[in-house]
Amino acid sequence: MTLRSPLGRVLNHGAAHGGVSHWIVERVTALALAPLAIWLLVTLLALPVLDHATLSIWVATGWNPVWLALLVLLASWHSWLGVQMVVEDYVHGLTKTLTLLVSTCVHALLALSGVYAILHIVFAGTA
Amino acid sequence: MVQLALPPNARIDKSAGKHYPAPSGARRVRTFRIYRFDPASGQRPRIDRYDLDMEQCGPMVLDALLKIKNEVDATLSLRRSCREGICGSCAMNINGVNTLACTRACEDLGGGDVSIYPLPHMPVVKDLVTDLTTFYAQYAAIKPWLQTRTPAPPDRERLQSKHEQQRIDRPSACILCACCSTSCPSYWWNSERYLGPAALLAAYRWIVDSRDEALGERLDALEDPFRLYRCHTIMNCAEACPKDLNPARAIGAIKQMLADRQH
């Protein structure tokens, strides 16, 4: 029960002056991911066999590690933003804050471990 | 927390619905299944079935509802006023689509029963009458009036070119019936924080008004992850609008303006 006026409730804390860069980055990462995803699919399908040894060599060849790392980082970034949107839509209160924290940690972990794996293959050979 | 189960008074009591058969001698019978709920009664909502003789009934869904109210069951509550699609009072959910009962012809609903519910996800005052207080407050929040600093010319109106008038012509046609906002899932889940398509279309109407001098302030007020960016271009608003307006496109244009002023 609140006696606060409806307009007062709707105006609430005012505008947070955010969301624009979120909206832009969502679109820019999507645009960048499209050619990268096609590149990944096409080059993988062009390999003679898809076993561990072939893939390890492929990862370390030429510009492949650069494109792969870019793909991992952009995909994590894009997914992080997307999951944040979904959580903000459906989850409310303290649970929302906690879910967003967990999502951020998981995505940071995904991005870092992906890049680490690529660097490891390039500089130390396969694990 | 995520709410998975509906509260009891949002669940329909399937055993409680009443049936009002058509008078004997009825030739073209059609059944109207209507949502009935009185929060004060302490009972759960029910669906009442009214069989009408369409030979004795006007063509629109509103005609059928008024026939029921006048001749069959006076306890049915609904809002209506102009009966010609300009007041927006009789907005409701007819066969799963938000629209105006006065402009939706029964014949256009195909065959079979007609299901009539109040606007989705709004507090129900009684039967088909919903509480639109927050919806109207959201309209007030976008300051739907001309804001200027330049004084008006002493001897004439503020002028606008024909092209400038055309930009506000369509968005001005909104009748605030709430069909769009209450069809929007984003509005359902965050109706207190997301302004909703109707209020954002109204904001757009003033944003593109060449006479208005508060464009920056208007964009500032919308620059918010919830007020504006809950729109995920689901497009239910454009689908539902009985005036054939496109709030989704207006929201897209506002997002574009906010992006453009960043770079």
Side-chain angles (χ1 to χ4, degrees):
Chain A
M1 176 67 181
T2 172
L3 294 177
R4 203 172 173 203
S5 77
L7 186 59
R9 271 192 292 114
V10 167
L11 290 174
N12 204 15
H13 296 144
H17 298 300
V20 187
S21 59
H22 190 290
W23 184 82
I24 295 173
V25 174
E26 238 178 45
R27 272 141 194 84
V28 171
T29 49
L31 276 177
L33 277 170
L36 281 172
I38 294 170
W39 163 81
L40 181 72
L41 213 67
V42 169
T43 45
L44 278 185
L45 288 177
L47 289 176
V49 277
L50 287 173
D51 60 10
H52 186 259
T54 321
L55 282 176
S56 304
I57 296 166
W58 174 79
V59 167
T61 307
W63 284 80
N64 287 354
V66 176
W67 300 132
L68 262 184
L70 198 60
L71 182 70
V72 166
L73 290 173
L74 286 176
S76 309
W77 197 1
H78 187 77
S79 164
W80 178 53
L81 294 175
V83 169
Q84 184 195 340
M85 263 296 173
V86 175
V87 170
E88 285 173 350
D89 275 353
Y90 295 112
V91 190
H92 299 99
L94 181 64
T95 325
K96 172 175 70 182
T97 315
L98 295 176
T99 316
L100 289 177
L101 275 173
V102 170
S103 160
T104 304
C105 294
V106 168
H107 281 101
L109 206 66
L110 275 175
L112 288 176
S113 51
V115 172
Y116 171 74
I118 295 165
L119 291 177
H120 196 279
I121 294 172
V122 172
F123 293 110
T126 52
Chain B
M1 195 52 213
V2 184
Q3 195 182 351
L4 294 174
L6 289 168
N9 61 6
R11 285 199 294 265
I12 289 175
D13 186 353
K14 290 197 173 116
S15 60
K18 294 177 190 163
H19 181 225
Y20 300 83
S24 56
R27 287 191 293 176
R28 198 154 56 89
V29 176
R30 192 151 195 197
T31 304
F32 289 80
R33 302 163 48 82
I34 302 179
Y35 173 96
R36 304 298 309 274
F37 180 49
D38 180 3
S41 72
Q43 287 166 339
R44 277 165 54 193
R46 62 177 201 270
I47 303 293
D48 282 355
R49 289 181 299 137
Y50 302 90
D51 298 344
L52 296 186
D53 181 3
M54 296 313 283
E55 299 276 311
Q56 304 295 320
C57 182
M60 299 302 179
V61 174
L62 184 64
D63 293 322
L65 287 169
L66 292 181
K67 189 177 173 64
I68 292 169
K69 181 148 177 84
N70 292 336
E71 299 173 20
V72 184
D73 178 7
T75 66
L76 176 67
S77 298
L78 66 140
R79 283 198 189 102
R80 92 282 177 275
S81 180
C82 77
R83 60 97 185 94
E84 57 183 20
I86 199 61
C87 76
S89 303
C90 65
M92 53 188 74
N93 187 280
I94 300 169
N95 274 5
V97 178
N98 290 353
T99 191
L100 301 176
C102 64
T103 55
R104 180 55 56 94
C106 295
E107 276 200 354
D108 293 346
L109 293 169
D113 296 356
V114 179
S115 294
I116 304 178
Y117 287 76
L119 290 173
H121 218 275
M122 302 302 268
V124 174
V125 178
K126 188 172 178 288
D127 300 340
L128 302 174
V129 178
T130 51
D131 181 358
L132 294 171
T133 312
T134 305
F135 176 79
Y136 295 137
Q138 280 156 335
Y139 178 61
I142 62 105
K143 301 190 178 170
W145 54 80
L146 190 71
Q147 295 179 60
T148 58
R149 295 187 193 175
T150 310
D155 52 347
R156 70 195 315 177
E157 314 81 3
R158 293 174 197 273
L159 291 181
Q160 198 167 38
S161 76
K162 205 168 181 178
H163 172 72
E164 286 166 342
Q165 201 284 326
Q166 276 168 356
R167 297 192 73 191
I168 62 168
D169 192 43
R170 290 299 286 151
S172 301
C174 172
I175 57 172
L176 291 174
C177 64
C179 280
C180 59
S181 291
T182 59
S183 72
C184 172
S186 285
Y187 190 70
W188 298 342
W189 314 142
N190 286 288
S191 36
E192 287 267 313
R193 297 186 68 185
Y194 176 42
L195 284 171
L200 289 171
L201 178 68
Y204 174 78
R205 179 250 173 274
W206 292 102
I207 281 171
V208 295
D209 192 320
S210 59
R211 299 162 301 175
D212 194 83
E213 292 169 347
L215 171 59
E217 287 91 332
R218 290 184 190 280
L219 290 178
D220 284 345
L222 296 178
E223 194 177 17
D224 183 89
F226 279 82
R227 283 182 173 183
L228 175 71
Y229 288 99
R230 279 312 101 189
C231 169
H232 306 313
T233 57
I234 300 165
M235 308 287 282
N236 278 8
C237 51
E239 190 75 20
C241 180
K243 306 300 282 186
D244 224 7
L245 307 176
N246 193 337
R249 185 185 291 158
I251 297 170
I254 297 172
K255 287 174 179 169
Q256 192 63 54
M257 284 179 222
L258 281 167
D260 287 347
R261 72 173 192 175
Q262 290 284 330
H263 301 284

